[in-house]
Amino acid sequence: MTTAINDMVSAITSGVRSNTAQESKWIASAPPEMQGQMKSQILMQKEQELCQMLAQAMKQMSELSKSTIRNIGG
């Protein structure tokens, strides 16, 4: 299970590091002195969303494990 989680995290983080076509267009249309800041903002937002998603996934896996243990225990 750990390998599957690691693979999922790896795939997601590689997607976080690249910009969509719309984001790239948005950055390119900004003044050059603001482009670095915009790239950083986009990256931070994506990383925040990734952390929230992973936290939710771990919470659901924990709840599933607890539920399974409760059902086994009777």
Side-chain angles (χ1 to χ4, degrees):
M1 179 127 161
T2 304
T3 304
I5 292 171
N6 288 340
D7 291 345
M8 179 181 74
V9 170
S10 178
I12 292 170
T13 53
S14 66
V16 167
R17 300 282 181 218
S18 61
N19 291 328
T20 64
Q22 182 63 34
E23 291 166 340
S24 296
K25 184 178 176 182
W26 182 58
I27 291 168
S29 68
E33 63 273 7
M34 291 184 63
Q35 289 179 1
Q37 180 182 1
M38 292 172 74
K39 288 177 185 178
S40 295
Q41 282 182 310
I42 291 170
L43 180 60
M44 287 190 304
Q45 181 179 356
K46 288 180 178 184
E47 287 177 347
Q48 180 183 15
E49 291 170 0
L50 174 63
C51 288
Q52 289 173 345
M53 183 187 67
L54 291 174
Q56 184 64 30
M58 288 189 297
K59 181 179 176 183
Q60 289 176 349
M61 288 180 359
S62 175
E63 290 173 2
L64 179 62
S65 297
K66 288 178 185 178
S67 175
T68 302
I69 291 169
R70 275 190 233 111
N71 288 339
I72 291 172

